[in-house]
Amino acid sequence: EHEEEILRGIKTQKGNPSSSGRHRIEVAKLLELKAQLGGDDGKQTFVLKTAKGTRDYNPKQMAIREKVFNTIVSCFKRHGAETIDTPVFELKETLTGKYGEDSKLIYDLKDQGGELLSLRYDLTVPFARYLAMNKITNIKRYHIAKVYRRDNPAMTRGRYREFYQCDFDIAGQYDPMIPDAECLKIVYEILSELDLGDFHIKVNDRRILDGMFAVCGVPDEKFRTICSTVDKLDKMLWEDVKNEMVKEKGLTEEAADQIGEYVSMQGGMDLAERLLHDPKLSQSKQACAGLTDMKQLFSYLQLFQITDKVVFDLSLARGLDYYTGVIYEAVLCQTLQAPTPAPAEQNGAVSGEEGGVSVGSVAGGGRYDGLVGMFDPKGRKVPCVGVSIGIERIFSIMEQKAELSAEKVRTTETQVLVASAQKNLLEERLRLTAELWNAGIKAELLYKKNPKLLTQLQHCEETGIPLVAILGEQELKDGVVKVRNVATREEVRKASQSKHELNITLLKTMCFMMLHE
Amino acid sequence: MTVSQIDEEVAKLLELKAQLGGDDGKQTFVLKTAKGTRDYNPKQMAIREKVFNTIVSCFKRHGAETIDTPVFELKETLTGKYGEDSKLIYDLKDQGGELLSLRYDLTVPFARYLAMNKITNIKRYHIAKVYRRDNPAMTRGRYREFYQCDFDIAGQYDPMIPDAECLKIVYEILSELDLGDFHIKVNDRRILDGMFAVCGVPDEKFRTICSTVDKLDKMLWEDVKNEMVKEKGLTEEAADQIGEYVSMQGGMDLAERLLHDPKLSQSKQACAGLTDMKQLFSYLQLFQITDKLSAEKVRTTETQVLVASAQKNLLEERLRLTAELWNAGIKAELLYKKNPKLLTQLQHCEETGIPLVAILGEQELKDGVVKVRNVATREEVRKASQKRGWGNVCSAVEKIL
């Protein structure tokens, strides 16, 4: 109806040249509407695409995803974590005021007369809400779910508006650094098991950073903004970072240089020890507290046997405001192959890198003691430390790996195809397949009354089914079913009078095949 | 300072203020989830994981793959697909980009996925949450965010084989989840429509009558009939005819019987549906799941014959014949009503699985015969009752049995 009005409006203005532009726009709108409604024959046209920044997962991707989740969840369970789930949207007020500038990236739901809602932006704020709501003071939990951010997706670089986060957090008042050490142990285990190649984990501490800024002469009110500039060191050269500090953020060159000296430092427990005796840095109580805890952390990491891949790196400054203590980030050391990396990531001369191109971080986290208190009406604090695994990045890497490798990714787990060699054997196929299902064996049959044997074998090859049980007229008379290894074509004949025997034969054959893979 | 820096600092100060809690500015926190949604605590998650594992194992055992789709779709993808329920769709706010809505089910996204990827054959499962803005009655377990667990086979195949596999899967899942006894009802849209047609329902009322019939699992027949006649404008006769059909349950035998039903067999649609139903049941037998399908009931009695009357005032004759059957060692029953309706007596046979009915009628009694009918096939065997002792009837019944 609205469009009709516009049309009428246009018609009355027909003679007026200045309306031709608007005219064109309205015509375009009407044509769109017409296309949607489907024109004269009423056939509805479908716009066949997903929303910007989102994608479907096809069966191959799901198979890869399942493997990755299984590895990660096994690790969490091995460490005694439980899991929770929260709704995909929260009350808008729950998310308000928690993400600083990023708040503009939150997806809101339309006001449809009820509560105002927003899609969750991460899993940490819902976690804090959950703890406060249920008055929980101690929990070790993991949560794997999708989150939503309306930023500019660069699809080729693997950034989406809907993506998985995989969080692990330990909440509760405990003796210092033990839970923090366990988080790092978990990251180490996961990245090792996923077989993504070499990696290392940088650790630092918000208190050491702030202490360092203080003794370098950075005014208090500039801490955060200088911190976010330092954070760019993994993407920019020092010269450019210094430039930003001095020219954009108003630091003295002297202060910038002093910061420059510190942020080039890397090491282990030895560095923490050394800095505790640094004449300048030791003047900051904050920094000393952070350094003492860092030593303690490294002593635990030694006991956990993971110090070979952990580095105390003073240039690490993670973005999020709510960290209050230790912070860490895991990076892979090499790309597997070169899909054109973004220019910013191409330069291997990032301070401290030993060569090889960083693919960006695959995990990050830290301690955040003040967040839950923000949700509690009485401001009761529940200290937390946790890590978020960058699962989307890991998916892309695994997908790339799968494409490069000769091995096929199977999208089903079928073990046996029940086939017939001649016509009119559908009944026998249905019966045998049901027997296999009842025995817990993964089996399929083609939905055709009289399929050709070749077609059935081709199906096995295409989908990777390792065994085929072939029913034939003669064999049925003789009371046997031919079981064939699809790949080698090797046959194992076995009696079918006892279906039990057939099942055992199949299971034995499958075990044998698995052992010899 | 830049504007963004100022904003940052203000946010920090407000946060700090909230933390410190001052007299005036204490931020009240509303600690709750959105209406109709809930968190899952670790216990619930542990249960959920077990259930999903059982279900997914079954899907995998049958060779299904899985996909995932985004939680929101372009609004236009969902528009026009859900009829009246469209008002229950959650829209996202127009924030300057595409118009989006949260998915309402997994079927429309599936159809979009198939079309988008030009897929003609797939066997897929999809377990994910969907969103509906209806009135949640939390105690009744209805939420606005809830899981759906779909399994679908897409593609052109020989008839009824995939359909049978779907039922086999439901059977396996419900058995493995150990929820207690269950049964699966099957029917066919073509049989329903055919039935409506031969009962005199006008074409344009098919859908609305269908939704009334659907209420039979919650309402009594009298109320359903009432709605059909008073609200939807059917004749009482049509409603009664529908009533006879919808009380029927059985297995392949019922499908066979209905194929010979003089009225229903006039509908081509119904015949197609019934033929397929027979085919389906033959496959279900091979899959060994017919025990849980609509009324392959476990019988609780062993009655062989019901002695019934077709008109009023035949109680005496019924009592006499029943006694004779008992004396001959045949297991027989009669209804404890002086003047029961024939339909009611036949329904009793069907509900309790009595295979034969001996029907006494005024005319037949004058002719000296008793109609003996096979309840399942409706096949009739007329037999003499010359000897007032009903001896011939007994032997006839014995022979049939």
Side-chain angles (χ1 to χ4, degrees):
Chain A
E1 290 155 54
H2 176 65
E3 305 303 332
E4 269 181 56
E5 273 182 57
I6 293 172
L7 196 57
R8 254 177 268 127
I10 292 172
K11 283 186 177 165
T12 57
Q13 287 180 27
K14 214 168 171 190
N16 187 344
S18 68
S19 75
S20 67
R22 185 174 172 236
H23 193 165
R24 248 178 275 130
I25 292 170
E26 297 302 340
V27 168
K29 268 171 68 179
L30 286 168
L31 284 172
E32 229 180 73
L33 190 63
K34 183 181 178 190
Q36 277 184 23
L37 294 171
D40 314 319
D41 53 13
K43 197 159 166 238
Q44 201 167 356
T45 30
F46 247 103
V47 179
L48 287 176
K49 57 190 188 92
T50 51
K52 182 177 179 187
T54 70
R55 54 158 175 162
D56 297 318
Y57 284 81
N58 64 36
K60 267 206 174 69
Q61 294 168 317
M62 290 299 282
I64 292 170
R65 195 172 99 174
E66 189 178 330
K67 271 190 74 184
V68 174
F69 281 160
N70 283 345
T71 301
I72 292 174
V73 171
S74 299
C75 180
F76 292 153
K77 287 181 168 179
R78 195 182 316 131
H79 287 255
E82 355 179 67
T83 185
I84 65 168
D85 199 9
T86 64
V88 83
F89 46 68
E90 297 273 344
L91 296 176
K92 190 174 161 70
E93 52 190 300
T94 300
L95 304 186
T96 306
K98 309 293 184 309
Y99 301 104
E101 261 206 33
D102 285 349
S103 295
K104 63 184 190 291
L105 301 181
I106 296 175
Y107 274 102
D108 290 326
L109 266 69
K110 182 174 167 182
D111 184 348
Q112 287 170 292
E115 303 163 318
L116 290 182
L117 307 167
S118 301
L119 296 183
R120 65 185 170 214
Y121 186 84
D122 67 5
L123 300 178
T124 307
V125 168
F127 178 49
R129 194 242 334 118
Y130 176 84
L131 294 180
M133 207 165 127
N134 297 283
K135 297 188 181 5
I136 291 170
T137 55
N138 295 72
I139 188 173
K140 187 194 274 185
R141 83 95 183 76
Y142 68 92
H143 187 187
I144 302 179
K146 290 185 192 165
V147 300
Y148 301 85
R149 300 184 185 181
R150 279 186 77 245
D151 56 0
N152 257 329
M155 298 290 271
T156 44
R157 274 190 251 161
R159 282 187 75 197
Y160 295 93
R161 289 179 161 183
E162 173 191 64
F163 59 95
Y164 265 102
Q165 276 203 328
C166 177
D167 284 15
F168 172 88
D169 294 83
I170 301 172
Q173 183 67 49
Y174 300 111
D175 286 348
M177 306 319 280
I178 312 179
D180 312 54
E182 187 171 16
C183 284
L184 290 168
K185 172 72 172 150
I186 282 170
V187 174
Y188 185 100
E189 284 179 13
I190 288 174
L191 295 181
S192 306
E193 279 175 55
L194 286 174
D195 215 21
L196 300 160
D198 206 14
F199 64 91
H200 63 258
I201 307 171
K202 305 180 196 176
V203 295
N204 198 353
D205 192 298
R206 185 40 83 64
R207 297 163 291 174
I208 297 173
L209 271 168
D210 286 354
M212 175 180 85
F213 293 149
V215 305
C216 291
V218 177
D220 278 19
E221 63 275 10
K222 292 198 181 177
F223 275 16
R224 286 245 171 108
T225 183
I226 294 299
C227 205
S228 65
T229 303
V230 168
D231 195 23
K232 299 182 186 183
L233 272 172
D234 56 356
K235 301 186 199 78
M236 282 160 59
L237 293 175
W238 167 245
E239 288 79 53
D240 299 322
V241 169
K242 173 179 172 179
N243 214 37
E244 184 175 309
M245 280 200 238
V246 173
K247 302 234 166 95
E248 286 180 44
K249 313 249 167 143
L251 276 199
T252 65
E253 244 200 81
E254 188 187 38
D257 282 333
Q258 285 179 41
I259 291 175
E261 267 197 58
Y262 283 117
V263 300
S264 62
M265 296 185 189
Q266 287 185 335
M269 188 166 359
D270 55 308
L271 176 60
E273 181 65 51
R274 202 182 346 143
L275 288 172
L276 268 169
H277 296 106
D278 180 280
K280 206 153 60 191
L281 199 51
S282 54
Q283 287 170 49
S284 160
K285 265 198 188 161
Q286 253 197 320
C288 289
L291 289 164
T292 308
D293 279 350
M294 189 60 72
K295 282 178 64 182
Q296 181 70 280
L297 178 69
F298 266 88
S299 72
Y300 294 148
L301 297 182
Q302 261 164 15
L303 295 164
F304 281 162
Q305 302 164 46
I306 64 173
T307 47
D308 61 316
K309 302 220 196 267
V310 185
V311 174
F312 171 24
D313 186 330
L314 280 151
S315 70
L316 177 66
R318 287 188 58 71
L320 285 164
D321 288 350
Y322 51 58
Y323 291 120
T324 54
V326 70
I327 52 177
Y328 38 81
E329 190 173 281
V331 290
L332 296 181
C333 293
Q334 328 168 284
T335 40
L336 288 156
Q337 194 225 9
T340 24
E345 289 167 13
Q346 224 156 17
N347 194 331
V350 174
S351 64
E353 287 288 323
E354 275 178 8
V357 178
S358 164
V359 291
S361 71
V362 285
R367 174 162 285 285
Y368 53 104
D369 289 346
L371 187 63
V372 180
M374 285 176 63
F375 283 95
D376 187 288
K378 297 211 176 122
R380 273 180 292 232
K381 278 177 65 164
V382 176
C384 297
V385 65
V387 65
S388 192
I389 310 282
I391 234 186
E392 294 287 342
R393 201 155 257 164
I394 292 174
F395 288 159
S396 332
I397 294 171
M398 305 288 273
E399 278 174 46
Q400 254 183 60
K401 249 175 111 176
E403 247 171 86
L404 293 172
S405 92
E407 252 189 83
K408 258 181 80 161
V409 175
R410 284 196 67 187
T411 57
T412 64
E413 297 182 12
T414 308
Q415 296 161 314
V416 194
L417 182 84
V418 178
S420 43
Q422 291 93 26
K423 290 189 174 185
N424 301 316
L425 291 172
L426 174 63
E427 260 197 43
E428 286 75 10
R429 269 193 294 137
L430 288 167
R431 229 185 254 125
L432 178 56
T433 311
E435 289 293 336
L436 295 176
W437 287 332
N438 293 343
I441 293 170
K442 299 175 196 157
E444 281 185 60
L445 81 162
L446 263 61
Y447 298 133
K448 268 186 101 63
K449 287 191 193 151
N450 300 308
K452 293 198 165 66
L453 183 57
L454 186 61
T455 311
Q456 296 169 90
L457 293 172
Q458 271 171 355
H459 177 74
C460 290
E461 276 158 26
E462 280 160 27
T463 59
I465 302 172
L467 293 176
V468 58
I470 307 178
L471 296 160
E473 281 166 358
Q474 187 55 52
E475 288 80 7
L476 283 170
K477 290 201 187 105
D478 299 341
V480 296
V481 174
K482 283 198 284 194
V483 177
R484 209 199 270 186
N485 178 318
V486 171
T488 68
R489 306 218 168 171
E490 179 193 328
E491 264 185 29
V492 181
R493 288 182 122 230
K494 216 39 206 185
S496 77
Q497 280 120 331
S498 155
K499 26 190 169 178
H500 176 73
E501 249 195 278
L502 177 61
N503 292 347
I504 299 278
T505 305
L506 284 169
L507 289 168
K508 275 193 194 153
T509 313
M510 289 186 291
C511 288
F512 181 83
M513 286 172 68
M514 270 165 44
L515 289 170
H516 287 72
E517 250 158 33
Chain B
M1 260 187 151
T2 65
V3 172
S4 60
Q5 282 171 326
I6 292 173
D7 283 349
E8 251 185 74
E9 298 305 331
V10 169
K12 266 169 66 185
L13 287 168
L14 283 172
E15 253 174 52
L16 195 61
K17 183 176 180 195
Q19 278 183 25
L20 297 171
D23 352 48
D24 52 329
K26 186 136 184 259
Q27 203 170 348
T28 29
F29 295 104
V30 181
L31 284 178
K32 56 189 191 87
T33 52
K35 183 177 180 186
T37 70
R38 54 160 175 159
D39 298 318
Y40 284 82
N41 64 37
K43 267 207 175 69
Q44 293 167 318
M45 290 297 283
I47 292 171
R48 194 172 99 174
E49 190 179 328
K50 270 190 71 184
V51 175
F52 281 162
N53 283 346
T54 301
I55 292 175
V56 171
S57 299
C58 180
F59 291 155
K60 286 181 169 181
R61 195 180 316 132
H62 286 257
E65 2 180 61
T66 185
I67 66 168
D68 198 8
T69 65
V71 83
F72 45 69
E73 298 272 346
L74 296 176
K75 189 174 162 69
E76 52 190 302
T77 301
L78 303 186
T79 306
K81 309 292 183 307
Y82 301 107
E84 261 205 31
D85 285 349
S86 295
K87 62 183 190 290
L88 301 180
I89 296 176
Y90 274 101
D91 290 326
L92 265 68
K93 182 172 166 181
D94 184 348
Q95 288 170 289
E98 302 162 318
L99 290 182
L100 308 166
S101 300
L102 297 183
R103 64 183 172 215
Y104 188 83
D105 67 5
L106 301 178
T107 307
V108 168
F110 178 48
R112 190 231 351 108
Y113 175 84
L114 294 180
M116 206 164 127
N117 297 282
K118 299 188 183 359
I119 291 170
T120 56
N121 294 71
I122 188 173
K123 187 195 275 185
R124 83 95 185 74
Y125 67 91
H126 187 186
I127 302 179
K129 288 184 189 166
V130 300
Y131 301 86
R132 301 187 185 181
R133 280 186 75 246
D134 59 1
N135 257 328
M138 298 289 271
T139 45
R140 272 188 253 159
R142 283 186 74 199
Y143 295 93
R144 288 179 163 186
E145 173 191 64
F146 58 94
Y147 265 102
Q148 278 203 326
C149 177
D150 283 17
F151 173 88
D152 294 87
I153 301 171
Q156 182 69 45
Y157 301 112
D158 286 348
M160 304 320 278
I161 310 178
D163 312 54
E165 187 169 18
C166 285
L167 290 169
K168 173 72 173 154
I169 283 169
V170 174
Y171 184 101
E172 284 177 18
I173 288 173
L174 295 181
S175 305
E176 280 175 55
L177 287 174
D178 216 18
L179 300 158
D181 204 13
F182 64 91
H183 64 255
I184 307 171
K185 303 182 195 179
V186 295
N187 199 352
D188 191 302
R189 178 47 77 72
R190 297 163 291 174
I191 298 172
L192 272 167
D193 285 354
M195 174 180 87
F196 292 148
V198 305
C199 290
V201 177
D203 280 18
E204 64 276 9
K205 291 200 182 172
F206 276 15
R207 283 241 172 112
T208 183
I209 293 298
C210 207
S211 66
T212 304
V213 168
D214 198 28
K215 300 182 185 182
L216 271 172
D217 58 353
K218 299 185 202 78
M219 282 161 57
L220 292 175
W221 167 246
E222 286 79 52
D223 299 320
V224 168
K225 174 179 171 181
N226 214 38
E227 182 174 312
M228 281 201 239
V229 174
K230 300 229 169 98
E231 287 179 43
K232 313 251 166 142
L234 278 197
T235 65
E236 243 199 82
E237 186 185 41
D240 280 332
Q241 286 178 42
I242 291 175
E244 265 200 59
Y245 283 120
V246 299
S247 64
M248 294 183 186
Q249 288 184 335
M252 181 153 24
D253 55 310
L254 176 59
E256 181 63 52
R257 196 179 354 145
L258 289 172
L259 269 169
H260 296 104
D261 180 278
K263 203 156 55 191
L264 199 51
S265 53
Q266 286 168 48
S267 158
K268 263 197 186 155
Q269 249 195 328
C271 288
L274 289 164
T275 307
D276 278 351
M277 188 62 71
K278 283 178 65 184
Q279 181 71 281
L280 178 67
F281 268 86
S282 73
Y283 294 151
L284 298 180
Q285 263 164 17
L286 294 164
F287 281 164
Q288 303 163 41
I289 64 173
T290 46
D291 61 314
K292 303 277 189 208
L293 267 97
S294 204
E296 287 276 344
K297 280 196 193 63
V298 174
R299 286 196 64 190
T300 54
T301 66
E302 297 179 17
T303 308
Q304 295 163 312
V305 195
L306 181 84
V307 177
S309 45
Q311 290 92 25
K312 292 186 173 186
N313 303 313
L314 292 171
L315 176 60
E316 261 196 45
E317 285 73 12
R318 271 194 293 139
L319 288 167
R320 251 193 229 116
L321 177 52
T322 311
E324 290 292 335
L325 293 169
W326 287 333
N327 292 343
I330 295 170
K331 296 170 191 145
E333 276 185 58
L334 80 164
L335 259 60
Y336 300 135
K337 266 182 104 62
K338 284 191 196 158
N339 299 309
K341 291 196 168 65
L342 183 58
L343 184 62
T344 312
Q345 295 170 92
L346 292 171
Q347 269 173 353
H348 178 74
C349 290
E350 277 158 26
E351 279 160 27
T352 59
I354 302 171
L356 292 178
V357 57
I359 306 178
L360 298 161
E362 280 165 359
Q363 187 55 50
E364 290 78 6
L365 284 170
K366 290 196 188 111
D367 301 337
V369 293
V370 175
K371 281 199 284 194
V372 178
R373 208 200 274 189
N374 179 317
V375 172
T377 67
R378 301 209 172 174
E379 180 195 324
E380 266 184 30
V381 182
R382 290 180 120 230
K383 218 36 208 186
S385 76
Q386 291 108 318
K387 282 194 192 165
R388 279 291 286 181
W390 308 100
N392 282 1
V393 182
C394 295
S395 27
V397 168
E398 270 168 347
K399 278 203 192 124
I400 295 167
L401 290 170

